[in-house]
């Protein structure tokens, strides 16, 4: 098996060309079973499911916000080898991550040559480094939701198998030192419930936001192997607003006192919330519904018990933002058998 | 008064330098009163209000997602002359609009030189052309909300007066030919109610989404003066999801039939809805709360009674997207007295 990776990395060929991609897909159960992980669920290949009976009857599927389509692009050839999809809010950050993972996996070619696959639109940016796809999703649940619908259809059209999705993001910490990485145990809403409310044709339905427990534990275990990477596991609260919804005192609108803010944040802490961001519930709910193993790994930029404004020096913010990337890169390398 | 504008436009000086900006602000009541509009509300200057007593006690205000701040930037000097703020989802489109309005207002300098004021971040893009600010807001209510909080604080810190905000966007049409411009009468939620639900510290409060009636009527009247600009006034439905929430049959998830989809869209039509997008309710609610006159002008890219996929040719999509820009540019030129 190692000979296979050795060939791909050092013989200066494309990391996983279509021919090898087919081999990889066939071999995937064995591959993952020999990597020294204890993830027996990887023994069986899993396709990416869409839950939409109408799709089969469509002649063409235009993934409008990604500027891709089934008639205009050969999606299996472009994306069939994808095993890891990493998503994050900022396009620049997701480009940096693609360059970083390209280097970490020892892929051939210059990582400065990595191009935005969605360059025809400015809604999202997408970069590919071997079996890793790195995509931006903008800010907030609706922006994440549009990207996920089109990404999941893309993975389905490309006939990808055994894909895991990881959100690598930034967040506000609750009772944690800035720079702490939080691996999400449960994605909860602003009432601290592990659920996501989706409106379908004017009716509210509720979906579970359960994430993959094994993957979260694996990430936490991995973090212990990396120096200077303070990591905890905890609940992540997802709000639809950065200011009033997260109890900030510094928005254009604020009708509550410092005491009321702190009371809310302490209630969140007591409910197990360790960080606050704006996309995790829909991410967890959609991945679960479509049978995709998913995790959320966010760094905290500040401790909300101590303030609202993000006034950490720029240099330090950049260093913090690399921490989830380092942790997820470590997991990917272990899963690929590149490190023990 | 016209001599003043003549000097600014033709003597190749900055459109509104700080010294003249102060003059303009002092003269604004007379200026707007002599422009031939019948907007008597413009006789009195109106400051931009923030509704947050905590802001006064802050030594510094970092507008994190705009990469601007009260200590690092001279906001009154940079933005004090702003009278029109136009917002839209896409950064590229808002750059094009800034270049277009720069040309339409006959401003000095090359419109290719217009730079992104928020270049230090990739969350939003911001461009300035004379008294017009053009900003992107991404997709969905949360993304719009973050931008609006920081924009309203920016206008407040910059001591702007008599500012109007217009969203120029794209949308799905309901019973309208693609390419029709919809001036929003009421921004309604997915239950067809003219309200916006905001969570504050875990409690849901409801805000009115009333837009400025005079401004909507003025836009509609203006549209009649422009050839080939089919325009209607109607309600705009704002959803938190592009696929299931808008009754699309082509998402990764879909649990309803074509008949159920059409039933929902016909109910929307009967409630006065003529187009669907994803930001108008929070835009209307926040502008109303902060005393800002606001309008929403979106072009329809497809007729949702006839389909879900946006498969209009690229060239035509570009032409459609320019229509709200042309209409808003016409209004701005009339308000500035550049055309009768």
């Amino acid at each position: 098996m190692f000979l296979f990776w050795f060939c791909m990395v050092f013989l200066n060929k494309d990391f996983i060309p279509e021919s090898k991609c087919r081999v990889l897909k066939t071999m995937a159960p064995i591959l993952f079973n020999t990597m020294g992980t204890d993830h027996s669920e990887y023994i069986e290949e899993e396709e990416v499911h869409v839950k939409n009976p109408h799709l089969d009857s469509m002649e063409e599927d235009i993934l409008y916000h990604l500027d891709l389509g089934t008639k205009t692009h050969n999606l299996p050839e472009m994306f069939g080898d994808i095993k890891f999809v990493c998503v994050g809010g900022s396009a620049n950050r997701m480009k940096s991550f693609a360059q970083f993972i390209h280097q970490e996996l020892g892929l051939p070619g210059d990582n400065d040559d990595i191009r935005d696959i969605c360059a025809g639109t400015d809604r999202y940016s997408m970069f590919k480094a071997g079996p890793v796809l790195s995509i931006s999703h903008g800010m907030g649940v609706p922006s994440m939701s549009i990207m996920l619908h089109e990404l999941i259809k893309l993975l389905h059209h490309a006939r990808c198998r055994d894909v895991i999705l990881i959100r690598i993001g930034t967040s506000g910490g609750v009772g944690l030192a800035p720079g702490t990485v939080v691996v999400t145990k449960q994605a909860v809403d602003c009432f601290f419930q592990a659920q996501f409310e989706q409106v379908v044709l004017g009716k509210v339905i509720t979906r579970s936001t359960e994430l993959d427990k094994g993957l979260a534990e694996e990430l936490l275990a991995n973090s212990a192997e990396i120096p200077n990477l303070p990591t905890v596991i905890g609940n992540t609260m997802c709000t639809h607003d950065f200011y009033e919804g997260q109890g900030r005192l510094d928005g254009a609108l604020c009708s509550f006192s410092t005491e009321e803010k702190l009371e809310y944040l302490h209630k969140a802490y007591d409910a197990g919330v360790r960080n606050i961001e704006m996309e995790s519930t829909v991410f967890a709910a959609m991945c679960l519904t479509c049978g995709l193993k998913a995790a959320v790994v966010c760094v905290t930029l500040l401790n909300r018990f101590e303030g609202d404004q993000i006034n950490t020096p720029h240099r330090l913010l950049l260093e913090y933002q690399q921490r989830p990337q380092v942790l997820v890169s470590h997991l990917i390398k272990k899963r690929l058998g590149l490190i023990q």
Side-chain angles (χ1 to χ4, degrees), chain A residues 41-294:
Chain A
E41 64 270 30
Y42 267 81
I43 294 173
E44 288 199 20
E45 286 190 338
E46 285 211 13
E47 280 190 33
V48 176
H49 305 292
V50 291
K51 295 284 172 71
N52 180 357
H54 302 285
L55 279 188
D56 287 341
S57 59
M58 285 167 60
E59 267 189 40
E60 179 180 14
D61 188 7
I62 298 171
L63 309 174
Y64 177 71
H65 301 87
L66 301 180
D67 197 37
L68 295 169
T70 51
K71 275 198 174 172
T72 48
H73 298 78
N74 185 338
L75 300 179
E77 190 173 290
M78 291 172 75
F79 300 103
D81 60 338
I82 294 297
K83 296 291 169 191
F84 306 94
V85 180
C86 297
V87 306
S90 146
N92 289 346
R93 185 151 39 81
M94 296 321 288
K95 183 175 184 180
S96 297
F97 176 69
Q99 293 173 329
F100 173 64
I101 199 79
H102 181 275
Q103 185 181 312
E104 288 290 298
L105 297 185
L107 298 176
D110 189 342
N111 66 10
D112 285 339
D113 293 339
I114 292 178
R115 291 279 166 265
D116 183 359
I117 298 167
C118 302
T121 175
D122 63 351
R123 302 296 190 173
Y124 302 107
S125 292
M126 179 191 287
F127 309 92
K128 186 174 181 301
V132 182
L133 202 62
S134 176
I135 313 173
S136 69
H137 54 63
M139 289 186 290
V141 159
S143 187
M144 168 69 98
S145 157
I146 296 172
M147 188 281 286
L148 273 184
H149 271 279
E150 300 186 10
L151 168 69
I152 291 168
K153 291 197 295 175
L154 182 153
L155 297 173
H156 171 74
H157 293 312
R159 300 194 284 277
C160 294
R161 284 163 184 265
D162 294 317
V163 179
I164 64 170
L165 271 78
I166 305 181
R167 161 159 154 71
I168 46 175
T170 57
S171 61
V174 184
L176 296 176
T180 307
V181 173
V182 179
V183 175
T184 302
K185 186 177 178 186
Q186 283 196 309
V188 302
D189 63 17
C190 58
F191 313 109
F192 320 134
Q193 301 296 309
Q195 61 183 35
F196 175 66
E197 288 194 347
Q198 171 70 48
V199 176
V200 181
L201 302 182
K203 293 187 183 73
V204 180
I205 62 165
T206 301
R207 288 185 177 143
S208 164
T209 56
E210 201 181 323
L211 289 158
D212 191 77
K213 282 195 181 64
L215 189 53
E217 283 162 15
E218 189 180 346
L219 283 159
L220 191 67
N222 279 193
S223 73
E225 298 167 8
I226 307 167
N228 303 317
L229 202 89
T231 306
V232 300
I233 195 159
N235 291 348
T236 296
M237 181 164 75
C238 174
T239 69
H240 298 308
D241 170 43
F242 187 77
Y243 287 96
E244 293 174 286
Q246 297 188 9
R248 274 192 161 79
L249 300 166
D250 62 340
L253 302 170
C254 181
S255 55
F256 45 85
S257 67
T258 308
E259 292 70 30
E260 288 168 319
K261 163 202 156 171
L262 288 173
E263 187 188 353
Y264 181 65
L265 290 182
H266 278 286
K267 271 188 197 163
Y269 187 88
D270 293 343
V273 170
R274 291 297 174 270
N275 64 338
I276 312 175
E277 45 79 92
M278 298 179 69
E279 296 88 14
S280 60
T281 50
V282 74
F283 175 75
M286 285 186 67
C287 289
L288 183 68
T289 309
C290 294
L292 287 158
K293 291 183 169 58

Side-chain angles (χ1 to χ4, degrees), chain A residues 173-181 230 299-303 306 320 323:
Chain A
V174 184
L176 296 176
T180 307
V181 173
V299 71
T300 62
L301 301 183
L302 75 167
N303 180 359
E306 290 175 5
Y320 289 168
R323 294 183 180 182

